[in-house]
Amino acid sequence: MDTVLQLLANGLMLGGLFAIVAVGLTLIFGIVKVVNFAHGEFLMVGMYLTFLVTRLLGLHPFVAVIVVVPALFLLGALTQRLIIQPLMSARDDHIQIFATVGLSTALINLALLVFGADIANTPASGLRTPIEIGPVRVLSGQIVIFAASILLVIGLQAFLQSTATGRAIRAVAQNRAAAQLMGINVDRIYILTFGIGAACVGVASVLIAPLYPTSPTIGTYFVLTAFVVVVLGGLGSIPGAFVGSLVIGLIDSFAGFYVGSDMREVAVFGMFLIILILKPAGLFGKRLNLSHVSP
Amino acid sequence: MKLSLLLKTAAAAVLFTATAAHADVKFGALYPFSGQLALLGDESARGLEIAVDEINAAGGVQGEKVVLIRGDAVDNNQAIGEARRLISREKVAAIFGSYSSARSIAASQVAELSGVPYFEMGAVADEVTGRGLKFLYRTNPTAEDMGKLIIEMIVNKVAPGIGKKPEDLKIGIIYEDSSYGTSVAGHQKKYATEAGLNVVASQGYPASTVDMSSLVLDLKQRGVDIVLQTSYQNDSVLFLQQANEANFKPAAIIGGGGGYSMQPTADAVGHKVIDGVLDADFTQFLVNTKYTPGLENFVDAYKKKYGEAPRSGHSLNNYVGAKVLLEALNKGKGFTPDAIVAAVNNIDIGEGVTAAGYGMKFGKNNQNERAKMMGMQWQDGKLVTVYPDAAAVSPMRLNK
């Protein structure tokens, strides 16, 4: 029984980790309709920034949020304005995908140039302390990530549902042409949304940096699962991304123990395929009406 | 007028190349100098360069100055292209390399077809020499040597050190599931079975994992005494940290090179957590230099040439391989492939004579059958040699 509880806890903590990375990705996908392959590298940039702020100023990693979140917002907004937007009118949507792949490669190599291939350690500052809850052990930092991912999901949902900007963002997501006719500045909304999505991954990077050593390729470790989560949860659905993360985290944890570590990915992707066959739009997704995607 | 000038220049050029060709003998230095493997590729090449400097200072090889022509093997295709260029355009007498097993396997194929000798001094995969090529020689220890040494170390040192019989120990083998981890784990299993050890778990995992908690829990519940992990850096850090946090304290953890030999790994995990963790790898620098004569001179030469201390044992192993090979060529007659092969086949060097400690004699498939890894342990934040006894600078620390 204790083993099951521990596996449950491990799975939920892992799910929280996937969720906090995936939230920004699903937001960008749902609204701007761009599959951001540089999302993992945004995470990496955020982690290096956290490392620098913490090391140079000797502050607690959480303080880095003041620097990292605005910086990532800017990085996202600039990516949309300078790279994606000029390609929006391209006849083929796939061009945007290639552009983000290019951005991802460029960022990895830039990090290799600046920081080298070695790993960089952000001080753990008490976030690696094991906490015992009954028979279960988890890390303080994992609990923080889990809580933060819930807050982020609730916060984003509230922002999208009940603010004017949020409504404008949803309007653009539903029908870009109609939103434009209603006087919404679609380009501005895209820049804003991409910025917010990147800022979310900024929050994630501040929380993850003390737990995982940073390296130029660290983003790829997290982002593949984040893509799975986004598709599983329903493209663009923020609560979907959260639930999808927990599902993947739990499958990963239980399969890793009962089936074997080398079979974890088989289990995760196998389950992923089964769910998609039963529910092609993902757990929380609505079927995309493709006529609305491109004007 | 113009024509005569042209002719003169041409004649001078021919004369120049002719004299240059007479005084120089060219060898290829084929390593990944750029891309993801650049750090250790470059580190490996530095060892070769120091060996060449020393040989040239001592009068060259058969009276000719050794010139290295670099080839950048950034990926397998480029390794093949560069091997072709070195052989057909630069006319090298042989190629030295290559650190990465995949690059070595690809490039040595080209050399074999051209009948040009290829000297591998750093790649560990079985297939490098396993293909039975005629012109490929390997000086460095391999994945098999690693597996063998680890099991030997458990039987001879670790088991008595923790006060148990080897056959009473529960061994758990975990490994990243690419060819590196899989092949080392395969040898570990084979030698463990031969030694009568009890392997209770053998688990591969993708190196890109972000969570090893299930694996740790599994090992803990099986009551594993000794964990053998073959891993890169990310997964070494992850396992050591998560094992510590899950309060899983096996009597010994033994890494297989990779992430376990790197100082940043120890810094990331924390010196307290990694203390006592064992590791098998190429000869490193905190070793009894009576067993590795010439190691201090190598380190001095390295510091003088590159302005920093060696970044890993890769340079040392390439240095030792190149030095022995070049000295053998010096005793040979000419630089034709057959002459080189004949000279190299005569090499017979015993243990404790080279700067890496291991001896050299080529056996089956032209593999150096005297190549050996060493056993190291993290003690007080440093990776010190603890096995074999002749090479140890500190006794192995174990808790009964």
Side-chain angles (χ1 to χ4, degrees), chain A residues 124-138:
Chain A
S125 309
L127 294 170
R128 298 211 71 100
T129 317
I131 292 177
E132 301 206 13
I133 309 163
V136 169
R137 280 169 82 96
V138 287

Side-chain angles (χ1 to χ4, degrees), chain B residues 34-51:
Chain B
S34 56
Q36 288 230 315
L37 302 180
L39 182 67
L40 290 180
D42 181 57
E43 178 67 13
S44 302
R46 287 181 174 187
L48 169 63
E49 283 166 0
I50 292 172

Side-chain angles (χ1 to χ4, degrees), chain B residues 359-371:
Chain B
M360 209 173 294
K361 181 168 178 58
F362 294 104
K364 190 171 167 248
N365 288 337
N366 299 339
Q367 166 64 37
N368 174 12
E369 57 186 18
R370 291 182 188 158

Side-chain angles (χ1 to χ4, degrees), chain A residues 3 6-7 10 14 18 118-119 121 128 130 137 139 211-213 217 221-222 253 256-257 260-262 264-265, chain B residues 36 203-211 213-215 217-218 221 233-234 237-238 241 245-247 262 264 267-268:
Chain A
T3 309
Q6 182 66 52
L7 287 172
N10 290 349
L14 193 58
F18 293 150
D118 270 346
I119 50 179
N121 290 304
R128 298 211 71 100
R137 280 169 82 96
L139 292 187
L211 295 186
Y212 292 91
T217 49
Y221 288 130
F222 292 95
S253 172
F257 186 83
S261 272
D262 41 357
R264 280 163 49 166
E265 290 192 340
Chain B
Q36 288 230 315
Q203 290 257 339
Y205 59 84
S208 61
T209 186
V210 292
D211 182 71
S213 55
S214 310
L215 188 56
L217 201 59
D218 185 43
Q221 296 217 331
Q233 193 163 31
N234 178 62
V237 173
L238 206 55
Q241 281 181 337
E245 282 145 12
N247 212 10
M262 299 167 86
D267 299 341

Side-chain angles (χ1 to χ4, degrees), chain A residues 151-294:
Chain A
L151 286 179
L152 204 59
V153 167
I154 294 174
L156 268 182
Q157 231 13 41
F159 167 73
L160 289 177
Q161 297 296 335
S162 35
T163 64
T165 319
R167 274 194 290 274
I169 290 176
R170 281 191 297 137
V172 170
Q174 275 172 15
N175 191 327
R176 177 176 157 177
Q180 203 149 20
L181 289 174
M182 296 300 122
I184 295 173
N185 184 339
V186 172
D187 285 347
R188 227 194 83 226
I189 292 292
Y190 280 161
I191 294 171
L192 184 70
T193 310
F194 215 113
I196 295 174
C200 290
V201 85
V203 175
S205 57
V206 169
L207 299 178
I208 292 174
L211 295 186
Y212 292 91
T214 307
S215 68
T217 49
I218 188 80
T220 48
Y221 288 130
F222 292 95
V223 87
L224 183 65
T225 319
F227 274 114
V228 174
V229 159
V230 165
V231 176
L232 181 62
L235 302 166
S237 164
I238 290 165
F242 185 73
V243 175
S245 297
L246 297 190
V247 170
I248 296 290
L250 288 170
I251 295 173
D252 195 299
S253 172
F254 279 89
F257 186 83
Y258 289 109
V259 190
S261 272
D262 41 357
M263 295 299 282
R264 280 163 49 166
E265 290 192 340
V266 177
V268 166
F269 284 90
M271 189 59 81
F272 172 61
L273 289 176
I274 291 171
I275 294 176
L276 284 192
I277 290 167
L278 298 176
K279 241 180 141 346
L283 295 173
F284 283 57
K286 300 178 195 81
R287 273 176 188 276
L288 279 179
N289 186 344
L290 286 176
S291 64
H292 291 157
V293 174
S294 43

